[in-house]
mmCIF file of all heavy atoms in Angstrom:
data_model
loop_
_atom_site.group_PDB
_atom_site.id
_atom_site.type_symbol
_atom_site.label_atom_id
_atom_site.label_comp_id
_atom_site.label_asym_id
_atom_site.label_seq_id
_atom_site.Cartn_x
_atom_site.Cartn_y
_atom_site.Cartn_z
ATOM 1 N N PRO A 1 0.759 -1.236 0.021
ATOM 2 C CA PRO A 1 -0.031 -0.015 0.034
ATOM 3 C C PRO A 1 0.888 1.250 0.108
ATOM 4 O O PRO A 1 1.937 1.264 0.592
ATOM 5 C CB PRO A 1 -0.838 -0.036 1.322
ATOM 6 C CG PRO A 1 0.040 -0.924 2.217
ATOM 7 C CD PRO A 1 0.685 -1.919 1.295
ATOM 8 N N LYS A 2 0.337 2.327 -0.608
ATOM 9 C CA LYS A 2 0.972 3.632 -0.729
ATOM 10 C C LYS A 2 0.081 4.653 -0.278
ATOM 11 O O LYS A 2 -1.165 4.654 -0.769
ATOM 12 C CB LYS A 2 1.613 3.846 -2.046
ATOM 13 C CG LYS A 2 2.857 2.957 -2.417
ATOM 14 C CD LYS A 2 3.438 3.204 -3.665
ATOM 15 C CE LYS A 2 4.710 2.317 -3.978
ATOM 16 N NZ LYS A 2 5.765 2.625 -3.029
ATOM 17 N N PRO A 3 0.402 5.739 0.257
ATOM 18 C CA PRO A 3 -0.516 6.875 0.605
ATOM 19 C C PRO A 3 -0.829 7.610 -0.745
ATOM 20 O O PRO A 3 -0.029 7.574 -1.633
ATOM 21 C CB PRO A 3 0.341 7.855 1.523
ATOM 22 C CG PRO A 3 1.398 6.946 2.074
ATOM 23 C CD PRO A 3 1.652 5.887 1.061
ATOM 24 N N PHE A 4 -1.971 8.171 -0.830
ATOM 25 C CA PHE A 4 -2.391 9.044 -2.020
ATOM 26 C C PHE A 4 -1.680 10.265 -1.996
ATOM 27 O O PHE A 4 -1.106 10.749 -0.815
ATOM 28 C CB PHE A 4 -3.872 9.242 -2.081
ATOM 29 C CG PHE A 4 -4.708 8.017 -2.157
ATOM 30 C CD1 PHE A 4 -5.529 7.667 -1.111
ATOM 31 C CD2 PHE A 4 -4.594 7.228 -3.294
ATOM 32 C CE1 PHE A 4 -6.394 6.485 -1.244
ATOM 33 C CE2 PHE A 4 -5.451 6.063 -3.343
ATOM 34 C CZ PHE A 4 -6.326 5.775 -2.454
ATOM 35 N N PRO A 5 -1.564 10.941 -3.120
ATOM 36 C CA PRO A 5 -0.985 12.252 -3.106
ATOM 37 C C PRO A 5 -1.773 13.234 -2.258
ATOM 38 O O PRO A 5 -2.878 12.964 -1.924
ATOM 39 C CB PRO A 5 -0.973 12.653 -4.679
ATOM 40 C CG PRO A 5 -1.019 11.400 -5.344
ATOM 41 C CD PRO A 5 -1.750 10.399 -4.425
ATOM 42 N N ASP A 6 -1.150 14.371 -1.920
ATOM 43 C CA ASP A 6 -1.769 15.237 -0.968
ATOM 44 C C ASP A 6 -3.223 15.838 -1.379
ATOM 45 O O ASP A 6 -3.930 16.103 -0.629
ATOM 46 C CB ASP A 6 -0.917 16.438 -0.816
ATOM 47 C CG ASP A 6 -1.382 17.435 0.315
ATOM 48 O OD1 ASP A 6 -1.565 16.929 1.406
ATOM 49 O OD2 ASP A 6 -1.578 18.563 0.055
ATOM 50 N N ASN A 7 -3.528 15.769 -2.651
ATOM 51 C CA ASN A 7 -4.811 16.375 -3.100
ATOM 52 C C ASN A 7 -5.838 15.252 -3.325
ATOM 53 O O ASN A 7 -6.903 15.519 -3.871
ATOM 54 C CB ASN A 7 -4.551 17.156 -4.495
ATOM 55 C CG ASN A 7 -4.192 16.343 -5.618
ATOM 56 O OD1 ASN A 7 -3.491 15.253 -5.393
ATOM 57 N ND2 ASN A 7 -4.524 16.667 -6.758
ATOM 58 N N GLN A 8 -5.610 13.987 -2.932
ATOM 59 C CA GLN A 8 -6.475 12.912 -3.137
ATOM 60 C C GLN A 8 -6.776 12.142 -1.816
ATOM 61 O O GLN A 8 -5.861 11.990 -0.979
ATOM 62 C CB GLN A 8 -5.914 11.964 -4.158
ATOM 63 C CG GLN A 8 -5.787 12.528 -5.583
ATOM 64 C CD GLN A 8 -5.073 11.603 -6.529
ATOM 65 O OE1 GLN A 8 -4.543 10.672 -6.130
ATOM 66 N NE2 GLN A 8 -5.056 11.945 -7.807
ATOM 67 N N ALA A 9 -8.032 11.683 -1.729
ATOM 68 C CA ALA A 9 -8.344 10.792 -0.519
ATOM 69 C C ALA A 9 -9.619 10.168 -0.723
ATOM 70 O O ALA A 9 -10.399 10.390 -1.703
ATOM 71 C CB ALA A 9 -8.473 11.736 0.761
ATOM 72 N N LYS A 10 -9.914 9.017 0.020
ATOM 73 C CA LYS A 10 -11.084 8.238 0.031
ATOM 74 C C LYS A 10 -12.027 8.836 1.155
ATOM 75 O O LYS A 10 -11.618 9.273 2.198
ATOM 76 C CB LYS A 10 -10.919 6.851 0.173
ATOM 77 C CG LYS A 10 -10.312 6.152 -1.020
ATOM 78 C CD LYS A 10 -10.162 4.675 -0.932
ATOM 79 C CE LYS A 10 -9.750 3.983 -2.195
ATOM 80 N NZ LYS A 10 -9.743 2.608 -2.054
ATOM 81 N N LEU A 11 -13.358 8.780 0.928
ATOM 82 C CA LEU A 11 -14.297 9.270 1.933
ATOM 83 C C LEU A 11 -14.863 8.028 2.676
ATOM 84 O O LEU A 11 -15.382 7.084 2.150
ATOM 85 C CB LEU A 11 -15.442 9.981 1.173
ATOM 86 C CG LEU A 11 -16.549 10.487 2.030
ATOM 87 C CD1 LEU A 11 -16.093 11.570 2.989
ATOM 88 C CD2 LEU A 11 -17.649 11.086 1.151
ATOM 89 N N VAL A 12 -14.787 8.140 4.027
ATOM 90 C CA VAL A 12 -15.461 7.297 4.958
ATOM 91 C C VAL A 12 -16.482 8.129 5.775
ATOM 92 O O VAL A 12 -16.162 9.113 6.354
ATOM 93 C CB VAL A 12 -14.433 6.643 5.895
ATOM 94 C CG1 VAL A 12 -15.238 5.825 6.927
ATOM 95 C CG2 VAL A 12 -13.429 5.829 5.274
ATOM 96 N N LYS A 13 -17.825 7.781 5.486
ATOM 97 C CA LYS A 13 -18.894 8.662 6.041
ATOM 98 C C LYS A 13 -19.136 8.376 7.576
ATOM 99 O O LYS A 13 -18.875 7.259 8.058
ATOM 100 C CB LYS A 13 -20.128 8.312 5.304
ATOM 101 C CG LYS A 13 -19.909 8.784 3.738
ATOM 102 C CD LYS A 13 -21.122 8.598 3.008
ATOM 103 C CE LYS A 13 -20.917 8.948 1.466
ATOM 104 N NZ LYS A 13 -22.155 8.769 0.652
ATOM 105 N N ALA A 14 -19.638 9.325 8.119
ATOM 106 C CA ALA A 14 -19.970 9.241 9.661
ATOM 107 C C ALA A 14 -20.859 8.060 9.782
ATOM 108 O O ALA A 14 -21.769 7.848 9.065
ATOM 109 C CB ALA A 14 -20.638 10.492 10.019
ATOM 110 N N GLY A 15 -20.544 7.301 10.931
ATOM 111 C CA GLY A 15 -21.410 6.084 11.142
ATOM 112 C C GLY A 15 -21.030 4.835 10.356
ATOM 113 O O GLY A 15 -21.669 3.878 10.508
ATOM 114 N N SER A 16 -20.091 5.013 9.510
ATOM 115 C CA SER A 16 -19.792 3.817 8.711
ATOM 116 C C SER A 16 -19.312 2.586 9.529
ATOM 117 O O SER A 16 -18.787 2.772 10.538
ATOM 118 C CB SER A 16 -18.598 4.201 7.733
ATOM 119 O OG SER A 16 -18.949 5.067 6.665
ATOM 120 N N VAL A 17 -19.604 1.444 8.784
ATOM 121 C CA VAL A 17 -19.245 0.173 9.486
ATOM 122 C C VAL A 17 -18.206 -0.497 8.557
ATOM 123 O O VAL A 17 -18.464 -0.554 7.275
ATOM 124 C CB VAL A 17 -20.495 -0.711 9.650
ATOM 125 C CG1 VAL A 17 -20.081 -2.130 10.104
ATOM 126 C CG2 VAL A 17 -21.503 -0.112 10.600
ATOM 127 N N LEU A 18 -17.176 -1.067 9.103
ATOM 128 C CA LEU A 18 -16.219 -1.722 8.343
ATOM 129 C C LEU A 18 -16.629 -3.258 8.156
ATOM 130 O O LEU A 18 -17.012 -3.902 9.116
ATOM 131 C CB LEU A 18 -14.808 -1.701 8.993
ATOM 132 C CG LEU A 18 -14.325 -0.338 9.293
ATOM 133 C CD1 LEU A 18 -12.882 -0.391 9.804
ATOM 134 C CD2 LEU A 18 -14.258 0.495 7.932
ATOM 135 N N LEU A 19 -16.431 -3.723 6.837
ATOM 136 C CA LEU A 19 -16.686 -5.076 6.626
ATOM 137 C C LEU A 19 -15.328 -5.736 6.227
ATOM 138 O O LEU A 19 -14.742 -5.354 5.209
ATOM 139 C CB LEU A 19 -17.668 -5.184 5.482
ATOM 140 C CG LEU A 19 -17.829 -6.665 4.919
ATOM 141 C CD1 LEU A 19 -18.496 -7.542 6.041
ATOM 142 C CD2 LEU A 19 -18.729 -6.731 3.712
ATOM 143 N N PHE A 20 -14.852 -6.619 7.156
ATOM 144 C CA PHE A 20 -13.705 -7.386 6.777
ATOM 145 C C PHE A 20 -14.089 -8.628 5.993
ATOM 146 O O PHE A 20 -14.822 -9.419 6.568
ATOM 147 C CB PHE A 20 -12.977 -7.820 8.054
ATOM 148 C CG PHE A 20 -12.214 -6.776 8.796
ATOM 149 C CD1 PHE A 20 -12.909 -5.690 9.450
ATOM 150 C CD2 PHE A 20 -10.822 -6.813 8.878
ATOM 151 C CE1 PHE A 20 -12.225 -4.730 10.120
ATOM 152 C CE2 PHE A 20 -10.137 -5.765 9.593
ATOM 153 C CZ PHE A 20 -10.828 -4.775 10.255
ATOM 154 N N GLN A 21 -13.532 -8.777 4.745
ATOM 155 C CA GLN A 21 -13.729 -10.000 4.049
ATOM 156 C C GLN A 21 -12.357 -10.734 4.082
ATOM 157 O O GLN A 21 -11.414 -10.125 3.533
ATOM 158 C CB GLN A 21 -14.060 -9.666 2.597
ATOM 159 C CG GLN A 21 -14.350 -10.924 1.755
ATOM 160 C CD GLN A 21 -14.106 -10.721 0.237
ATOM 161 O OE1 GLN A 21 -13.040 -10.546 -0.241
ATOM 162 N NE2 GLN A 21 -15.294 -10.657 -0.393
ATOM 163 N N LEU A 22 -12.391 -11.898 4.651
ATOM 164 C CA LEU A 22 -11.081 -12.515 4.937
ATOM 165 C C LEU A 22 -11.128 -13.906 4.282
ATOM 166 O O LEU A 22 -12.051 -14.761 4.470
ATOM 167 C CB LEU A 22 -10.829 -12.698 6.432
ATOM 168 C CG LEU A 22 -10.839 -11.387 7.252
ATOM 169 C CD1 LEU A 22 -12.019 -11.397 8.230
ATOM 170 C CD2 LEU A 22 -9.549 -11.318 7.973
ATOM 171 N N HIS A 23 -10.113 -14.224 3.490
ATOM 172 C CA HIS A 23 -9.891 -15.544 2.931
ATOM 173 C C HIS A 23 -8.622 -16.147 3.638
ATOM 174 O O HIS A 23 -7.595 -15.824 3.489
ATOM 175 C CB HIS A 23 -9.562 -15.339 1.389
ATOM 176 C CG HIS A 23 -9.349 -16.665 0.723
ATOM 177 N ND1 HIS A 23 -8.811 -16.722 -0.574
ATOM 178 C CD2 HIS A 23 -9.416 -17.958 1.152
ATOM 179 C CE1 HIS A 23 -8.756 -17.976 -1.018
ATOM 180 N NE2 HIS A 23 -9.085 -18.740 0.037
ATOM 181 N N TYR A 24 -8.979 -17.304 4.344
ATOM 182 C CA TYR A 24 -8.002 -18.075 5.073
ATOM 183 C C TYR A 24 -7.687 -19.399 4.341
ATOM 184 O O TYR A 24 -8.519 -19.944 3.746
ATOM 185 C CB TYR A 24 -8.530 -18.354 6.502
ATOM 186 C CG TYR A 24 -8.635 -17.162 7.425
ATOM 187 C CD1 TYR A 24 -9.871 -16.573 7.749
ATOM 188 C CD2 TYR A 24 -7.487 -16.561 7.961
ATOM 189 C CE1 TYR A 24 -9.945 -15.567 8.670
ATOM 190 C CE2 TYR A 24 -7.553 -15.515 8.749
ATOM 191 C CZ TYR A 24 -8.795 -14.909 9.079
ATOM 192 O OH TYR A 24 -8.846 -13.988 9.980
ATOM 193 N N THR A 25 -6.436 -19.811 4.614
ATOM 194 C CA THR A 25 -6.008 -21.217 4.161
ATOM 195 C C THR A 25 -5.541 -21.911 5.386
ATOM 196 O O THR A 25 -5.137 -21.192 6.441
ATOM 197 C CB THR A 25 -4.958 -21.084 3.062
ATOM 198 O OG1 THR A 25 -3.831 -20.355 3.592
ATOM 199 C CG2 THR A 25 -5.465 -20.446 1.829
ATOM 200 N N THR A 26 -5.467 -23.142 5.319
ATOM 201 C CA THR A 26 -4.994 -23.937 6.432
ATOM 202 C C THR A 26 -3.467 -24.197 6.345
ATOM 203 O O THR A 26 -2.813 -24.059 5.223
ATOM 204 C CB THR A 26 -5.691 -25.335 6.491
ATOM 205 O OG1 THR A 26 -5.548 -26.002 5.308
ATOM 206 C CG2 THR A 26 -7.177 -25.118 6.876
ATOM 207 N N ALA A 27 -2.782 -24.444 7.487
ATOM 208 C CA ALA A 27 -1.402 -24.533 7.556
ATOM 209 C C ALA A 27 -0.852 -25.826 8.245
ATOM 210 O O ALA A 27 0.311 -25.946 8.731
ATOM 211 C CB ALA A 27 -0.840 -23.356 8.201
ATOM 212 N N GLY A 28 -1.740 -26.885 8.324
ATOM 213 C CA GLY A 28 -1.347 -28.180 8.943
ATOM 214 C C GLY A 28 -1.483 -28.365 10.363
ATOM 215 O O GLY A 28 -1.332 -29.450 10.914
ATOM 216 N N LYS A 29 -1.767 -27.280 11.017
ATOM 217 C CA LYS A 29 -2.084 -27.265 12.535
ATOM 218 C C LYS A 29 -2.949 -26.073 12.852
ATOM 219 O O LYS A 29 -3.066 -25.053 12.076
ATOM 220 C CB LYS A 29 -0.820 -27.229 13.325
ATOM 221 C CG LYS A 29 -0.053 -25.958 13.226
ATOM 222 C CD LYS A 29 1.207 -26.074 14.148
ATOM 223 C CE LYS A 29 2.023 -24.731 13.855
ATOM 224 N NZ LYS A 29 3.234 -24.755 14.764
ATOM 225 N N PRO A 30 -3.725 -26.147 13.914
ATOM 226 C CA PRO A 30 -4.742 -25.015 14.174
ATOM 227 C C PRO A 30 -3.935 -23.718 14.397
ATOM 228 O O PRO A 30 -2.824 -23.676 14.935
ATOM 229 C CB PRO A 30 -5.363 -25.528 15.497
ATOM 230 C CG PRO A 30 -5.194 -26.990 15.514
ATOM 231 C CD PRO A 30 -3.937 -27.289 14.811
ATOM 232 N N GLN A 31 -4.532 -22.753 13.804
ATOM 233 C CA GLN A 31 -3.926 -21.338 13.954
ATOM 234 C C GLN A 31 -4.976 -20.282 14.284
ATOM 235 O O GLN A 31 -6.180 -20.570 14.188
ATOM 236 C CB GLN A 31 -3.326 -20.979 12.558
ATOM 237 C CG GLN A 31 -2.292 -21.998 12.018
ATOM 238 C CD GLN A 31 -0.907 -21.524 12.267
ATOM 239 O OE1 GLN A 31 -0.671 -20.496 12.797
ATOM 240 N NE2 GLN A 31 0.033 -22.447 11.924
ATOM 241 N N THR A 32 -4.444 -19.176 14.817
ATOM 242 C CA THR A 32 -5.374 -18.056 15.038
ATOM 243 C C THR A 32 -4.978 -16.824 14.220
ATOM 244 O O THR A 32 -3.723 -16.683 13.888
ATOM 245 C CB THR A 32 -5.466 -17.649 16.515
ATOM 246 O OG1 THR A 32 -4.127 -17.281 16.977
ATOM 247 C CG2 THR A 32 -5.907 -18.849 17.271
ATOM 248 N N ASP A 33 -5.923 -15.895 14.031
ATOM 249 C CA ASP A 33 -5.476 -14.667 13.407
ATOM 250 C C ASP A 33 -6.368 -13.551 13.980
ATOM 251 O O ASP A 33 -7.605 -13.727 14.156
ATOM 252 C CB ASP A 33 -5.755 -14.697 11.951
ATOM 253 C CG ASP A 33 -5.658 -13.356 11.241
ATOM 254 O OD1 ASP A 33 -4.579 -12.801 11.227
ATOM 255 O OD2 ASP A 33 -6.661 -12.828 10.779
ATOM 256 N N ALA A 34 -5.785 -12.386 14.099
ATOM 257 C CA ALA A 34 -6.537 -11.092 14.503
ATOM 258 C C ALA A 34 -5.930 -9.940 13.574
ATOM 259 O O ALA A 34 -5.069 -9.338 13.895
ATOM 260 C CB ALA A 34 -6.365 -10.772 15.919
ATOM 261 N N THR A 35 -6.622 -9.833 12.319
ATOM 262 C CA THR A 35 -6.086 -8.798 11.395
ATOM 263 C C THR A 35 -6.531 -7.525 11.819
ATOM 264 O O THR A 35 -7.600 -7.235 12.423
ATOM 265 C CB THR A 35 -6.670 -9.275 9.997
ATOM 266 O OG1 THR A 35 -5.967 -10.385 9.520
ATOM 267 C CG2 THR A 35 -6.485 -8.072 8.998
ATOM 268 N N THR A 36 -5.684 -6.445 11.425
ATOM 269 C CA THR A 36 -5.979 -5.087 11.655
ATOM 270 C C THR A 36 -5.916 -4.186 10.403
ATOM 271 O O THR A 36 -5.318 -4.710 9.412
ATOM 272 C CB THR A 36 -5.015 -4.450 12.777
ATOM 273 O OG1 THR A 36 -3.641 -4.485 12.087
ATOM 274 C CG2 THR A 36 -5.013 -5.222 13.998
ATOM 275 N N ILE A 37 -6.493 -3.052 10.403
ATOM 276 C CA ILE A 37 -6.341 -2.155 9.332
ATOM 277 C C ILE A 37 -6.043 -0.747 10.020
ATOM 278 O O ILE A 37 -6.694 -0.280 10.993
ATOM 279 C CB ILE A 37 -7.571 -2.007 8.430
ATOM 280 C CG1 ILE A 37 -7.274 -0.889 7.330
ATOM 281 C CG2 ILE A 37 -8.806 -1.609 9.220
ATOM 282 C CD1 ILE A 37 -8.243 -0.894 6.192
#
């Protein structure tokens, strides 16, 4: 990921809810994950 130039940005509206879509694969033993943004 790279920041946008100074004159560009994305809009997140008041009250927005984040939806995490996560694709997991297995690794041969039980694992845990807590992804952040």
Side-chain angles (χ1 to χ4, degrees):
K2 291 183 179 296
F4 296 119
D6 187 54
N7 66 333
Q8 297 173 347
K10 289 187 171 183
L11 178 62
V12 178
K13 297 181 181 180
S16 286
V17 173
L18 299 185
L19 172 65
F20 285 69
Q21 181 203 75
L22 303 114
H23 180 187
Y24 290 108
T25 57
T26 54
K29 61 180 181 179
Q31 303 262 355
T32 62
D33 169 69
T35 287
T36 62
I37 181 169

